[in-house]
Amino acid sequence: MQGEAQEQRERVVAPGAEALEVSPTMAPELDDALAVPPNPRAAAFFDVDNTVLRGASIYLLAKGLWQREFFTLRDVRAMAWKQLSFIVRGENLKHVHQIREQALAFVAGHSVSEITGIGEEVYDEVMAAKIWPGTRALTAMHLDAGEEVWLVTATPVEVAAVIARRLGLTGALGTVAESVDGVYTGRLVGDPMHGPAKATAVAALAAEKGFDLAECSAYSDSANDIPMLSLVGHPCAVNPDAALRTHAVKHGWRIRDYRTGRRAARLGGQALALTALGGALASAGARRLRH
């Protein structure tokens, strides 16, 4: 009888308070009491590439498409060099646009559901291991505070939505590729979700949802996102490029850098890794040709 009573009741004691006997029937009531109510006035907006995810998500998607024979070895090797430049020097608008335009051309004629499915596979195979733990903790902090958390990225919205869903976030704003009857045409709908377009999209979402931008937060690694960061009351530079770091220091913005080790060693290691990637792709391509 004593053991049964112990299983049915627990004693919860807070410091300086009397013991509270809790029965199983009280659990839902306690859950409601401890739950953080949503804050309809605040939200957090996160860039993806080099902020949430190490590297360029569009490149990782393109590599996944190559592995599924959407395009040639030469195409993916060119994208790999642009990825190296992205990691070493920071975001390059020209390269980002080139990779995106190539990817749009290659997905033309494929279904939205097919690309979404590949996005799920690429996340499991590659992206999950590249999520910055520090930034992941920041998203959890905002969710725990009852705030919505949105990704805002130039990555195709279908892939951005996969990342948001896997991380348990509210949603994603991304570049929209045109589709007709569920099939991609190879054209964009509107502008790419990049630079000032991010600020425009965040402002529109805030108006729709009733967010007070002065209470909102935004996170990015790139000076290209200064318009979005300047829009909110709590901007934060994460793994910032040189231009964004300078701007953040000048304006008293928070800075979080989750990159570890000496920068020279890190960049050298990344260069070697991508060189090895190029060699591996060349080897794989040669094997494919032989077969």
Side-chain angles (χ1 to χ4, degrees), residues 217-286:
S217 304
Y219 300 83
S220 179
D221 72 294
S222 174
N224 291 316
D225 289 338
I226 287 175
M228 178 180 74
L229 293 167
S230 301
L231 195 65
V232 301
H234 306 286
C236 181
V238 176
N239 305 327
D241 59 28
L244 179 57
R245 183 179 291 274
T246 299
H247 188 92
V249 169
K250 180 179 178 181
H251 291 82
W253 292 356
R254 293 172 297 154
I255 299 175
R256 299 287 184 270
D257 200 328
Y258 300 120
R259 297 165 293 191
T260 58
R262 295 179 58 204
R263 181 171 177 78
R266 180 176 67 252
L267 296 182
Q270 291 165 342
L272 288 173
L274 280 176
T275 300
L277 169 63
L281 294 178
S283 175

Side-chain angles (χ1 to χ4, degrees), residues 83 124 128 139 143 152 171 173 180 189-190 192 202 212 253 272 274 284:
Q83 166 80 338
D124 291 335
T139 66
L143 291 171
V152 188
L173 304 174
V180 176
V189 176
V202 166
D212 181 352
W253 292 356
L272 288 173
L274 280 176

